[in-house]
Amino acid sequence: MTTKRWNMNDIDKNQSYIKEAAGILQAGQTVAFPTETVYGLGADATNPQAVSKIFQAKGRPEDNPLIAHVATKEQLQRLVTSIPGYVDKLIAAFSPGPLTFILPSNGICASNVTAGLDTIGVRIPNHPVALQLLKEVDIPIAAPSANISGKPSPTTADHVFNDLEGRIAGLVDGGPTGVGLESTVIDCTQEIPVILRPGGVTKENLESVIGHVLVDPGIIDGEGKPKSPGMKYKHYAPEVPLWIFEGDSNGFQELIEKEQQSNHRVGVLCSNQFAVQLSHDNIYQLGDSMEEIASSLYDGLRYFKQQAVDVIICESFPESGIGQAIMNRLRKASDSTIT
Ligand code: TXA
Ligand code: MG
């Protein structure tokens, strides 16, 4: 199949592009589109045949449920049987935004969206293109990240195209995404909500609005069975080994040199502050702030996939705020942590 690509920079044509993309979604085909976190690969969540095209295009295991995307709280309410009071507060504070609510499903979405679970993940993305598209289609859109399963999530339209050209009907190019890491997934079926996947809205953000929030232990120690089915897969992985280095720049430099002595070509992912302290010729600088680092992390992982390196070594980051999500994704992509 030929993948049609619409460039949303073309302001005059925006409206007609959105209409065209919406028409393709309504006809049961797949369309990738930007959100504030990563690009999503969308299909009509009420149409099981359309949803199965997502799994085919990505090569995604079918026991991994998808998030339904909607434009408004009213549309969200149409997909679930009940909404606890604390979710109303979270919606008021963070939606549209990078927060996915797991709620009891009323069965309106196809059973392959929820992988047969009686709950559904729903979110209102905070991106003008996503919101326009969702308003135009007026149906819930199931959308996982628009990458081949197991690869880093896409933060640019080119990332999507590299992975899925010829496998999907359309791609709305809205430029690079902002947050760069996927939404926070929060289980709202319990009295106290549980973070199943750390993401754009941090634990601290959530607690400032509703008080105590739990974290699924499967996320923290990588042991046990994570409640979010997707969290058990090795994810976001570049094709060469990725090591996380915990220590100062002297230790980092020593490790680089040790690898080089073994004739290993080393790619380094680190903050700008760290980069100036290293002497190495193959460094991808992730940025200054933790927000910049989150936003460029997946591009960095993809960058080294195209480079002739034998190992990628990444700096370790503090696990507060967005740092939790950064380290969660890095650990899932990595083979070992070097201390
Ligand atoms: O930011 C995002 O969330 C992006 C954009 C496109 O919205 N989407 C995304 O989707 O990251 P995906 O499919 O790559 O990740 C969805 C995560 C998976 O870990 C999945 O297991 C979990 O959400 N999930 C979905 N429905 C669930 C449910 N009913 N119960 C528990 N976990 C669920
Ligand atoms: Mg994904």
Side-chain angles (χ1 to χ4, degrees):
M1 113 180 41
T2 313
T3 302
K4 185 143 195 191
R5 184 167 172 167
W6 303 276
N7 187 338
M8 297 303 281
N9 273 341
D10 205 339
I11 303 285
D12 295 343
K13 301 213 174 111
N14 267 2
Q15 278 308 318
S16 64
Y17 287 170
I18 289 285
K19 284 207 158 64
E20 202 180 336
I24 292 176
L25 284 167
Q26 284 158 341
Q29 303 295 322
T30 51
V31 172
F33 61 95
T35 80
E36 81 281 33
T37 58
V38 300
Y39 273 74
L41 177 58
D44 177 353
T46 63
N47 175 344
Q49 284 84 27
V51 171
S52 72
K53 290 176 188 163
I54 293 177
F55 287 93
Q56 277 162 26
K58 282 181 58 89
R60 178 173 171 116
E62 284 180 12
D63 66 348
N64 191 3
L66 308 177
I67 296 169
H69 293 65
V70 294
T72 63
K73 186 177 177 188
E74 288 65 41
Q75 290 176 331
L76 184 152
Q77 282 165 327
R78 277 183 229 152
L79 307 183
V80 301
T81 55
S82 60
I83 298 187
Y86 65 77
V87 170
D88 286 322
K89 289 189 190 156
L90 292 176
I91 291 176
F94 302 114
S95 289
L99 185 58
T100 296
F101 304 96
I102 306 295
L103 290 162
S105 169
N106 64 8
I108 288 201
C109 288
S111 66
N112 52 353
V113 172
T114 58
L117 299 174
D118 54 11
T119 55
I120 184 157
V122 195
R123 95 172 181 100
I124 307 174
N126 189 15
H127 190 290
V129 172
L131 287 170
Q132 276 177 59
L133 186 60
L134 291 168
K135 283 193 180 124
E136 184 67 35
V137 287
D138 201 23
I139 39 177
I141 296 296
S145 49
N147 50 294
I148 293 281
S149 219
K151 297 272 176 284
S153 292
T155 53
T156 68
D158 282 344
H159 292 165
V160 179
F161 216 58
N162 290 340
D163 276 15
L164 298 176
E165 188 196 356
R167 302 168 73 94
I168 61 176
L171 164 59
V172 186
D173 180 348
T177 60
V179 178
L181 298 178
E182 300 85 343
S183 63
T184 304
V185 177
I186 183 165
D187 180 356
C188 302
T189 62
Q190 318 287 325
E191 206 168 309
I192 300 179
V194 187
I195 296 174
L196 304 183
R197 177 176 75 179
V201 176
T202 66
K203 181 168 188 279
E204 293 86 340
N205 294 153
L206 295 166
E207 289 189 327
S208 72
V209 175
I210 55 166
H212 190 42
V213 171
L214 300 169
V215 179
D216 180 20
I219 301 174
I220 300 167
D221 54 14
E223 309 273 321
K225 191 171 178 289
K227 267 195 80 182
S228 172
M231 298 300 281
K232 70 173 182 266
Y233 296 105
K234 186 169 160 73
H235 253 183
Y236 324 112
E239 275 148 14
V240 286
L242 169 72
W243 297 345
I244 303 166
F245 177 77
E246 283 170 11
D248 64 11
S249 55
N250 290 333
F252 204 130
Q253 185 71 38
E254 276 169 29
L255 180 61
I256 294 170
E257 285 166 16
K258 190 170 144 244
E259 286 306 306
Q260 287 174 324
Q261 278 153 20
S262 312
N263 281 326
H264 291 159
R265 293 159 300 182
V266 179
V268 168
L269 278 171
C270 67
S271 62
N272 297 352
Q273 300 88 307
F274 224 88
V276 294
Q277 298 174 51
L278 295 175
S279 147
H280 187 57
D281 58 5
N282 200 0
I283 300 183
Y284 181 106
Q285 295 194 28
L286 292 164
D288 287 313
S289 65
M290 293 294 276
E291 283 69 27
E292 282 171 19
I293 290 165
S295 164
S296 57
L297 183 66
Y298 287 144
D299 190 61
L301 291 172
R302 280 179 180 259
Y303 169 79
F304 282 121
K305 251 185 48 173
Q306 284 135 28
Q307 297 265 315
V309 295
D310 301 301
V311 61
I312 305 165
I313 311 178
C314 185
E315 178 185 348
S316 174
F317 300 100
E319 278 184 70
S320 57
I322 191 78
Q324 269 209 332
I326 293 174
M327 290 308 292
N328 169 262
R329 304 309 192 274
L330 271 177
R331 286 212 188 86
K332 287 173 71 60
S334 88
D335 297 85
S336 55
T337 299
I338 315 267
T339 52

